């Protein structure tokens, strides 16, 4: 056992202090440089915003650009278990890798298109449930009522719990004999369900877990949106005799849209790329029946040692998600709220 | 005047009928039970003596409940170290992340500079990169910079990772702050930067709190990155440390559950503390009043 | 003359003073060990104690012991070696020798120790890490094999063959509280894990690999899968779902009469806590009535492996520490504490092994075991077996189709792997 001593505490605080100092210095230096070059030298009109932007930009670029480039490099290599340190890079390897994504099973049985279909189903079901559940709860909470704070607090518990813990807890709760899900079903006089040994039920189980995890985020976002809608609109609508549903459709929904669109996009991206829930609850099994694109990519690299292939596969997933978001932005009218303000 | 039931459920109705109010409360209570119950089961396992982990009993306080698992965890494991490391890394990544995001978001909010749209989209795009894709290259970078096994390396990786989302949240919130306020300060002779720090930052507490909360949770919960970056037991964060409680075949479930409860508490407390901002601070591309 | 003598004397004294001091002031070496052993069984704590003990007698050598899960250890070592860093000694399972040698990440034993060093170890311990004519690890303990463990409080004599297993199993699967579901089982084991399929595959006359060629689509595989399927769906002597933890807990709580589990569990089953519910007995996994063969659990072990980049002072320090670990004294200490069979011939002859009924049972089972193939192709077999075994155990696939699917998947994976 390593005891927590003052030494360790002091070392931690010291290192953090140093880090903050260094970051502050770097920020100041970068901004000063930007100021000198853009403002003094080039007399650029937008020198101030770029100055403000520079530190974050440099950080994000450094952490994204090099690794991203490295990944593309690997995608054009034949790196695998037998060629781990002495792999070679070439266009033909890249073409093979990218073609393999589509023509061969990604893992043992399951193919890219099966995984794609499943991932889309997973994303749609989850996000729809998140939005509906979140919206329902937000509407219920958006009124003066007793215990509102308590409800809101308890309802965000799934979001606040570390995912590693809730996922493992749920794994236990889906146990055929000892999990509370089946115990509850039996008390209700229903047949127990083989949650973790039947691939379809396992998929239902992971969806349930993720719905449970994701509702609080949507609830909080949408509650924020609802609260920013002025009461006057509803008062006016009532004078005109609009029903509750009409008010919802013609006031709530349009005014909620600027909040809803980015929330849905983020929700889709996070759900699409969700790794923890699947990996910790079912590990993608049984029969690879709950693997999604992301988990199968991770497995291809770290369990099947297919580094080159895995890198190509990651690019395909990324591009797919990118196209989806671009299309969704076009169709939904995009981030009007974000661009115009 | 029509009765309450005809009135919109969407307005802040003072006039909901008692029956309707009862239904609303019932639904909310049910939802709360569903959201809290799994955690209560974890608490329950943590109280069980180790020879009765599996049980068909649904009682939350198990027979023979004891705090033995907690005692063993705190006094016989490195648990306090893991917690401390997680805390340091998470706190540092929040501070660094906010330092970078606060000004960048301000730029996005107040100036229509060329590349602004592309910049915001780029930030969103970074969220689309599948987990695991950047793992190996980032690790190689960290090794080259000799930053593995340090709080610094972890904090930088996490804070930069959470910057894009923080920028979105902060930008959305700045948008709701009327420009007139800064302009007043500018008229008084303050420079734009001073106006930002004097006027905008103090008004943005809710959004800063929420952006901070998000960065904190990202760092606090991460296992994937921590697992490869930390190779010294005295640097382990809790998700890595927890693996010690699980052998290849044996798992100390009771202690694992106890550890889960203790780890969940700081996160829950943070959510509780920031709950007053949770709703107002989450303005993703929000609307102006 | 006298001056030369004096100065010579002074010089000699100086040399005499300096040389031993120089020899004794050993260079400081800090070794990092990565181990798969965690704290749940107490092995990690023991390893740390051992390193401290060693540092005391060898000042200058210090240790950092890092624990990762088995899979994490493999993945982290790959990443670390790729990035040019990593541990100085690996304490892990024999399966890792396959991928690590394919990736050229570890040294063979003859690069570290002089010829003949491996002579003191028993054969099964060496075979499990022999690849391409070289030995890739120093065994710490051999076995890791499955066996039949039973609770004498529930069952007097263990079954001899599979017919008896089913008969006794049925008698012991009971619904004690009359809720229509059994709450005591005849047999429990990790139902969906191929490692638990392997002994039966052997018992029905098959094996997953022939050299580097998968041989999964065999009558033996069909029979083995059918047998396991029937235990669950026809004879109903195992739970509907059981992963390792569920099986383990059921047995520990006295809710299962028999469990198929490995030698690693012996220590825990004899702890005071468990003794309240379980009076441990040990036997071979029952003979397969149809073939008259003993099921052959896979044997492997726990090994020390040497990273390819290990050189110089660190290499020397590691050698010293390895010598210390495989000494009879330490081997016997592990045996006593964790009931793991030692890897050296001399320690195996110790009365501690030969006179302990549990360990005798364990080594008796090991005799009919077969070493787990170390070639990386085995990994493809495991991965091919798992989903199809799961399908059979979910009642979704016939054993015949499953065996065929396993073979196809394994062949495909090996093609991909070696492409």
């Amino acid at each position: 056992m390593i005891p927590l001593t003052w030494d360790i505490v002091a070392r931690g605080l010291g290192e953090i202090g140093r880090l903050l100092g260094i970051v502050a210095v770097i920020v100041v230096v970068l901004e000063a440089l930007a100021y000198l070059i853009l403002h003094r030298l080039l007399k650029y009109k937008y020198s101030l915003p770029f100055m403000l932007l520079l530190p974050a930009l440099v950080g994000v670029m450094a952490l994204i650009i090099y690794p991203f480039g490295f990944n593309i490099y690997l995608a054009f290599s034949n790196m695998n278990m037998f060629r781990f340190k002495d792999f070679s890079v070439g266009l033909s390897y890249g073409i093979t890798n990218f073609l393999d994504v589509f023509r061969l099973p990604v893992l043992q049985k399951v193919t890219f298109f099966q995984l794609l279909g499943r991932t889309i189903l997973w994303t749609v079901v989850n996000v729809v449930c998140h939005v509906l559940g979140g919206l329902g709860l937000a509407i219920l909470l958006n009124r003066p009522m007793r215990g509102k704070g308590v409800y809101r607090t308890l309802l965000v518990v799934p979001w606040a719990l570390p995912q590693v813990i809730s996922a493992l807890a749920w794994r236990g709760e889906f146990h055929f004999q000892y999990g509370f899900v089946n115990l509850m079903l039996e008390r209700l006089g229903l047949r127990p369900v083989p949650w973790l040994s039947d691939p379809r039920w396992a998929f239902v189980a992971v969806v349930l877990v993720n719905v449970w995890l994701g509702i609080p985020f949507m609830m909080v976002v949408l509650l924020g949106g609802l609260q920013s809608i002025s009461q006057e609109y509803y008062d006016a609508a009532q004078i005109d005799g609009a029903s509750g549903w009409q008010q919802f459709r013609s006031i709530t929904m349009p005014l909620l849209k600027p909040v809803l669109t980015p929330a849905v996009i983020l929700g889709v991206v996070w759900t699409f790329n969700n790794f923890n829930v699947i990996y910790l609850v079912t590990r993608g099994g049984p029969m690879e029946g709950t693997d999604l694109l992301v988990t199968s990519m991770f497995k291809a690299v770290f369990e099947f040692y297919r580094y080159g292939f895995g890198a190509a596969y990651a690019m395909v997933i990324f591009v797919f998600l990118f196209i989806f978001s671009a299309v969704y932005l076009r169709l939904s009218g995009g981030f009007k709220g974000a661009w115009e303000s | 005047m029509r009765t309450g039931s005809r009135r919109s459920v969407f307005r802040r109705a003072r006039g909901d009928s008692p029956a309707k109010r009862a239904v609303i409360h019932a639904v909310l209570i049910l939802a709360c039970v569903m959201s809290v119950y799994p955690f209560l089961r974890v608490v329950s396992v943590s109280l069980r003596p180790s020879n009765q982990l599996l049980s068909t009993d649904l009682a939350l306080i198990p027979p023979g409940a004891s705090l033995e698992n907690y005692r063993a965890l705190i006094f016989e494991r490195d648990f306090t170290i893991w917690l401390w490391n997680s805390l340091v890394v998470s706190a540092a990544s929040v501070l660094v992340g906010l330092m970078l995001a606060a000004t960048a978001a301000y730029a996005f909010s107040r100036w229509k500079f060329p590349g602004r749209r592309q910049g915001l989209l780029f930030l969103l795009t970074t969220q689309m990169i599948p987990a695991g894709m950047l793992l190996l290259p980032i690790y190689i970078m960290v090794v080259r910079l000799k930053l593995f096994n340090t709080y610094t390396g972890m904090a930088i990786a996490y804070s930069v990772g959470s910057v894009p989302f923080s920028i979105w949240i902060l930008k959305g919130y700045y948008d709701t702050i009327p420009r007139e306020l800064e302009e007043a300060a500018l008229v008084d002779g303050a420079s734009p930067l001073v106006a930002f720090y004097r006027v905008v930052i103090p008004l943005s507490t809710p959004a800063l709190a929420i952006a901070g909360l998000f960065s904190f949770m990202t760092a606090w919960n991460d296992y994937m990155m921590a697992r490869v970056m930390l190779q010294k037991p005295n640097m382990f964060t809790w998700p890595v440390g927890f693996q010690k409680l699980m052998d290849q075949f044996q798992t100390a479930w009771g202690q694992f559950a106890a550890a889960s409860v203790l780890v969940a508490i700081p996160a829950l407390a943070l959510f509780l503390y920031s709950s007053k901002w949770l709703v107002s601070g989450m303005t993703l591309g929000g609307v102006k009043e | 003359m006298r001056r030369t003598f004096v100065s010579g004397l002074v010089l000699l004294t100086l040399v005499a003073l300096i040389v031993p001091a120089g020899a004794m002031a050993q260079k400081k070496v800090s070794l990092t060990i990565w181990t798969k052993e965690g704290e749940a069984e107490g092995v990690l704590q023991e390893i740390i104690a051992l390193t401290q003990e060693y540092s005391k007698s060898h000042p200058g050598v210090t240790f950092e012991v890092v624990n990762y899960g088995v899979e994490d250890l493999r993945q982290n070592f790959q990443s670390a070696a790729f990035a040019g860093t990593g541990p100085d000694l690996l304490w892990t399972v024999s399966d890792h020798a396959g991928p690590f040698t394919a990736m050229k990440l570890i040294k063979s034993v003859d690069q570290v120790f002089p010829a003949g060093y491996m002579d003191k170890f028993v054969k099964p311990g060496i075979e499990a890490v022999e690849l391409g004519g070289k030995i890739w690890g120093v065994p710490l303990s051999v076995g890791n094999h499955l066996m039949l463990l039973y609770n004498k409080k529930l069952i007097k004599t263990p079954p001899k063959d599979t017919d008896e297993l089913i008969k006794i199993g049925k008698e012991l699967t009971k619904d004690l509280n009359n809720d229509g579901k059994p709450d005591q089982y005849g047999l429990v084991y990790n139902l969906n894990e191929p490692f638990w399929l392997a002994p039966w595959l052997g018992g029905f006359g098959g094996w997953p690999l022939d050299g580097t060629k998968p041989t999964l689509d065999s009558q033996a595989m069909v029979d083995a899968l059918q047998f396991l399927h029937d235990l669950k769906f026809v004879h109903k002597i195992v739970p509907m779902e059981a992963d390792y933890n569920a099986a383990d807990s059921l047995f520990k709580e006295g809710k299962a009469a028999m469990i198929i589990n490995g030698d690693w569990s012996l220590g825990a089953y004899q702890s005071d806590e468990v003794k309240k519910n379980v009076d441990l007995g040990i036997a071979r996994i029952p003979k397969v009535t149809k073939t008259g063969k003993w099921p052959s659990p896979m044997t492997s072990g726990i090994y020390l492996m040497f990273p390819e980049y290990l050189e110089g002072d660190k290499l020397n320090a590691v050698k010293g520490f390895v010598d210390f670990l495989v000494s009879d004294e330490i081997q016997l200490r592990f045996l006593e504490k964790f009931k793991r069979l030692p890897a050296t011939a001399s320690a195996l002859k110790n009365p501690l092994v030969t006179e302990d009924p549990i360990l005798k049972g364990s080594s008796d089972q090991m005799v009919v075991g077969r070493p787990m193939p170390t070639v990386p192709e085995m990994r493809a077999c495991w991965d091919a077996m798992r989903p199809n075994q799961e399908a059979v155990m979910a009642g979704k696939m016939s054993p015949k189709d499953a065996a065929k699917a396993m073979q196809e998947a394994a062949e495909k994976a090996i093609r991909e792997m070696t492409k």
Side-chain angles (χ1 to χ4, degrees):
Chain A
M1 176 182 173
I2 313 167
L4 181 62
T5 56
W6 285 114
D7 257 20
I8 294 176
V9 172
R11 193 194 61 195
L13 293 178
E15 196 177 326
I16 294 313
R18 209 163 53 236
L19 170 64
L20 288 177
I22 292 172
V23 171
V25 167
I26 292 177
V27 165
V28 168
V29 167
L30 277 176
E31 296 201 337
L33 266 179
Y35 177 78
L36 284 178
I37 294 173
L38 290 173
H39 192 76
R40 282 286 161 86
L41 212 66
L42 302 173
K43 312 250 182 253
Y44 186 48
K45 190 173 145 205
Y46 291 110
S47 54
L48 190 61
F50 277 106
M51 222 176 95
L52 294 173
L53 212 56
L54 198 62
L57 205 66
V58 168
V60 174
M61 288 291 187
L63 216 69
I64 304 275
I65 297 295
Y66 166 78
F68 205 86
F70 185 85
N71 194 71
I72 295 176
Y73 170 74
L74 275 192
F76 284 88
S77 78
N78 63 352
M79 181 178 176
N80 67 15
M81 195 200 299
F82 292 93
R83 278 179 296 272
F84 185 67
K85 290 178 126 178
D86 42 2
F87 59 89
S88 24
V89 179
L91 187 62
S92 63
Y93 297 126
I95 292 170
T96 321
N97 283 336
F98 281 103
L99 284 179
D100 281 355
V101 172
F102 300 105
R103 67 182 178 196
L104 291 176
V106 176
L107 297 175
Q108 296 286 340
K109 285 178 149 177
V110 70
T111 63
F112 174 77
F113 293 102
Q114 281 171 309
L115 284 167
L116 179 64
R118 193 184 295 150
T119 307
I120 291 175
L121 179 69
W122 153 268
T123 310
V124 170
V125 171
N126 268 305
V127 175
V128 167
C129 290
H130 290 161
V131 171
L132 290 182
L135 187 62
L137 290 173
I139 287 172
L140 292 184
L141 282 174
N142 188 32
R143 67 191 69 235
M145 67 192 304
R146 211 170 282 186
K148 188 170 162 178
V150 178
Y151 286 134
R152 213 173 53 195
T153 308
L154 292 180
L155 287 173
V156 297
V157 164
W159 183 15
L161 282 182
Q163 273 196 8
V164 180
I165 286 165
S166 35
L168 285 173
W170 274 106
R171 186 190 155 80
E173 300 307 354
F174 280 114
H175 187 273
F176 186 78
Q177 191 169 5
Y178 298 105
F180 85 75
V181 183
N182 272 355
L183 290 175
M184 290 287 185
L185 289 178
E186 284 173 38
R187 303 237 162 145
L188 295 173
L190 299 169
R191 275 160 56 95
V193 170
W195 291 108
L196 298 178
S197 54
D198 181 292
R200 282 192 193 188
W201 284 115
F203 189 69
V204 175
V206 283
V207 167
L208 285 176
V209 174
N210 201 53
V211 166
W212 179 84
L213 278 172
I215 285 181
F217 171 75
M218 283 293 176
M219 180 190 87
V220 167
V221 171
L222 294 175
L223 192 54
L226 286 178
Q227 286 182 356
S228 67
I229 300 175
S230 166
Q231 184 59 30
E232 286 154 30
Y233 293 114
Y234 295 112
D235 291 341
Q238 274 188 0
I239 292 167
D240 293 344
S243 72
W245 173 243
Q246 282 170 331
Q247 290 179 31
F248 178 73
R249 265 196 40 197
S250 48
I251 302 172
T252 315
M253 277 321 279
L255 288 179
L256 216 46
K257 207 172 151 195
V259 184
L260 198 56
T261 307
V264 165
I265 293 215
L266 274 173
V268 165
V269 170
W270 287 343
T271 312
F272 197 94
N273 275 340
N274 188 304
F275 178 82
N276 279 353
V277 173
I278 302 284
Y279 204 70
L280 294 173
V281 177
T282 61
R283 288 227 150 208
M287 300 155 69
E288 301 174 351
T290 55
D291 263 317
L292 301 180
L293 289 172
V294 186
T295 58
S296 61
M297 181 208 96
F298 185 85
K299 283 185 178 176
V301 173
F302 286 102
E303 294 181 11
F304 294 75
Y305 312 94
R306 298 166 73 189
Y307 285 86
F309 169 84
Y313 187 24
M315 295 304 299
V316 171
I317 298 175
F318 170 75
V319 167
F320 187 85
L321 201 52
F322 186 77
I323 292 172
F324 161 83
S325 304
V327 170
Y328 183 83
L329 277 177
R330 275 281 145 79
L331 292 182
S332 65
F335 293 114
K336 283 229 179 79
W339 305 144
E340 284 165 6
S341 47
Chain B
M1 181 80 201
R2 299 259 172 128
T3 52
S5 63
R6 260 309 262 135
R7 297 173 68 172
S8 163
V9 290
F10 310 107
R11 61 168 294 175
R12 294 159 195 181
R14 221 154 265 120
D16 290 335
S17 70
K20 191 172 151 195
R21 241 181 288 157
V23 171
I24 291 174
H25 278 286
V27 172
L28 286 173
I29 289 171
L30 186 71
C32 287
V33 169
M34 276 161 57
S35 79
V36 178
Y37 191 73
F39 183 59
L40 293 182
R41 290 270 296 184
V42 176
V43 175
S44 161
V45 171
S46 75
L47 296 173
R48 273 182 218 162
S50 55
N51 61 346
Q52 38 169 320
L53 275 185
L54 293 177
S55 127
T56 49
D57 193 1
L58 282 177
L60 284 176
I61 307 258
S66 83
L67 293 174
E68 165 59 25
N69 288 322
Y70 290 89
R71 191 201 60 74
L73 188 71
I74 293 172
F75 295 106
E76 289 165 18
R77 310 284 191 196
D78 304 342
F79 184 72
T80 46
I81 292 268
W82 304 334
L83 221 52
W84 168 251
N85 289 336
S86 282
L87 207 64
V88 169
V89 166
S90 309
S93 57
V94 169
L95 294 175
V96 173
L98 287 183
M99 267 163 88
L100 299 180
T103 53
Y106 189 62
F108 278 118
S109 171
R110 289 298 190 261
W111 284 275
K112 292 211 164 156
F113 53 89
R116 172 170 172 270
R117 274 182 92 135
Q118 289 79 353
L120 279 172
L121 272 182
F122 167 72
L123 292 177
L124 189 69
T125 312
T126 60
Q127 305 287 301
M128 296 175 194
I129 298 171
M133 172 169 147
L134 304 182
L135 205 58
L136 189 63
I138 288 185
Y139 175 68
I140 293 173
M141 243 164 56
V142 165
V143 168
R144 299 252 161 93
L145 296 172
K146 298 241 181 292
L147 283 177
F148 63 110
N149 277 332
T150 61
Y151 297 122
T152 309
M154 303 281 289
I156 290 177
Y158 291 142
S159 56
V160 174
S162 63
V163 157
F165 187 70
S166 299
I167 291 181
W168 267 90
I169 290 193
L170 289 168
K171 180 208 162 282
Y173 197 84
Y174 294 157
D175 287 349
T176 67
I177 298 173
R179 275 169 209 230
E180 291 77 31
L181 294 177
E182 295 143 74
E183 277 155 15
L186 289 176
V187 169
D188 290 346
S191 81
L193 276 184
V194 173
F196 169 63
Y197 284 110
R198 289 263 172 80
V199 180
V200 179
I201 290 282
L203 284 173
S204 308
T205 319
L208 288 169
I210 296 314
L213 180 70
F214 263 86
S215 329
F216 188 91
M217 293 297 280
T218 317
W220 183 257
N221 289 336
D222 172 77
Y223 172 63
M224 248 204 213
M225 187 83 86
R227 187 197 71 178
V228 290
M229 298 241 286
L230 299 178
Q231 300 172 359
K232 270 174 187 260
N234 61 359
M235 288 302 296
F236 278 6
T237 54
W238 70 260
V240 187
F242 270 30
Q243 298 298 313
K244 277 194 185 178
L245 303 176
M246 298 190 254
D247 261 342
Q248 190 179 4
F249 296 104
Q250 317 272 348
T251 301
W253 281 118
Q255 285 182 23
F256 191 87
S260 305
V261 173
L262 293 182
V263 162
I265 287 172
L268 282 174
L270 208 62
F271 262 80
L272 267 183
Y273 179 70
S274 49
S275 64
K276 56 182 170 225
W277 300 306
L278 207 48
V279 173
S280 59
M282 282 290 295
T283 39
L284 287 169
V287 249
K288 284 195 219 171
E289 292 253 1
Chain C
M1 180 67 202
R2 208 176 141 189
R3 275 179 70 167
T4 7
F5 177 75
V6 171
S7 48
L9 201 72
V10 169
L11 203 74
L12 264 178
T13 330
L14 271 175
V15 169
L17 276 172
I18 290 166
V19 169
M24 270 160 69
Q26 251 182 349
K27 272 196 208 142
K28 285 218 155 94
V29 185
S30 170
L31 298 178
T32 305
I33 303 175
W34 284 8
T35 174
K36 63 115 194 156
E37 311 284 0
E39 287 184 337
E41 279 178 79
V43 186
L44 181 63
Q45 293 92 317
E46 181 65 27
I47 297 176
I48 292 173
L50 280 178
T51 57
Q52 285 163 352
E53 201 175 302
Y54 188 80
S55 292
K56 234 178 241 165
S57 55
H58 297 75
V61 184
T62 51
F63 294 90
E64 181 102 64
V65 184
V66 189
N67 156 248
Y68 295 110
V70 173
E71 277 296 282
D72 287 353
L73 186 140
R74 179 178 61 72
Q75 292 171 15
N76 277 1
F77 180 55
Q78 282 164 223
S79 303
F82 189 73
T85 164
D88 306 306
L89 182 63
L90 295 155
W91 176 310
T92 185
V93 291
S94 53
D95 335 9
H96 287 172
F100 288 168
T101 48
M103 293 188 221
K104 306 185 185 74
L105 297 183
I106 53 174
K107 280 186 190 321
S108 64
V109 173
D110 62 357
Q111 287 175 274
V112 180
F113 289 105
Y117 187 79
M118 296 304 284
D119 294 350
K120 57 174 171 272
F121 299 101
V122 290
K123 238 181 109 203
I126 298 171
E127 278 173 349
V129 285
E130 208 168 349
L131 265 169
K134 285 187 172 177
I135 300 160
W136 297 92
V138 171
L140 281 173
S141 73
V142 289
N144 219 35
H145 51 289
L146 296 173
M147 53 195 126
L148 186 76
L149 304 172
Y150 59 97
N151 186 349
K152 289 183 188 157
K153 290 188 180 170
L154 299 172
I155 173 175
K156 286 279 157 307
T157 41
K160 292 271 171 315
D161 56 31
T162 47
D163 285 355
E164 258 183 70
L165 174 75
I166 292 163
K167 198 175 122 259
I168 298 176
K170 277 182 182 161
E171 285 162 14
L172 286 165
T173 303
K174 289 178 187 162
D175 178 10
L176 296 171
N177 60 1
N178 291 317
D179 61 353
K181 301 175 298 178
D183 28 41
Q184 178 188 307
Y185 293 97
L187 176 70
V188 292
Y189 69 97
N190 196 353
L191 295 176
N192 285 351
E193 198 47 52
F195 191 67
W196 272 257
L197 167 62
W200 299 109
L201 180 58
F204 282 98
W207 204 238
L209 271 176
D210 180 14
T212 58
K213 274 219 306 283
T215 49
L216 295 167
D217 188 11
S218 62
Q219 189 56 41
M221 177 61 89
V222 176
D223 291 345
L225 285 171
Q226 187 69 50
F227 173 74
L228 293 182
H229 172 271
D230 290 352
L231 287 185
K232 175 174 169 179
F233 291 102
V234 179
H235 311 302
K236 300 190 167 125
I237 65 169
V238 298
M240 283 301 287
E241 273 184 8
D243 58 4
Y244 184 86
N245 286 305
D248 183 55
S249 300
L250 282 165
F251 187 71
K252 277 183 179 163
E253 288 164 27
K255 290 177 187 164
M258 295 175 273
I259 185 171
I260 296 178
N261 207 346
D263 61 350
W264 59 80
S265 63
L266 292 174
Y269 292 159
Q270 286 171 286
S271 68
D272 294 335
E273 187 75 37
V274 177
K275 269 187 183 158
K276 286 182 230 155
N277 306 322
V278 179
D279 182 6
L280 188 68
I282 185 166
R284 281 187 187 174
I285 301 174
K287 196 182 263 182
V288 176
T289 317
K290 188 178 160 191
T291 60
K293 277 190 177 178
W294 289 105
S296 54
M298 287 189 168
T299 59
S300 58
I302 295 161
Y303 287 80
L304 297 168
M305 296 179 198
F306 312 96
E308 160 276 320
Y309 48 75
L310 189 67
E311 293 297 342
D313 291 339
K314 288 200 167 192
L315 179 63
N316 286 327
V318 162
K319 279 157 85 170
F321 185 59
V322 170
D323 275 336
F324 170 70
L325 287 176
V326 298
S327 67
D328 274 5
E329 188 205 336
I330 305 300
Q331 288 265 305
L332 292 175
R333 201 189 301 177
F334 264 79
L335 169 78
E336 268 185 290
K337 282 205 166 136
F338 307 111
K339 304 290 171 198
R340 291 181 179 176
L341 288 176
T344 54
S346 54
L348 267 175
K349 281 190 206 118
N350 194 283
L352 277 172
V353 183
T354 49
E355 282 167 22
D356 182 306
I358 296 294
L359 289 172
K360 229 176 84 196
S362 175
S363 45
D364 179 48
Q365 172 79 72
M366 198 171 75
V367 175
V368 293
R370 284 178 70 173
M372 178 187 328
T374 321
V375 288
E377 282 80 0
M378 190 59 215
R379 175 73 200 212
C381 290
W382 288 132
D383 291 326
M385 282 156 85
R386 185 171 293 108
N388 295 300
Q389 183 183 353
E390 283 168 352
V392 171
M393 294 310 284
K396 299 261 167 198
M397 201 180 206
S398 75
K400 213 170 151 92
D401 293 344
K404 214 168 131 222
M406 284 177 184
Q407 180 71 15
E408 279 168 12
E411 282 173 4
K412 213 178 291 171
I414 290 170
R415 263 206 309 280
E416 278 310 300
M417 227 163 67
T418 50
K419 194 161 73 179

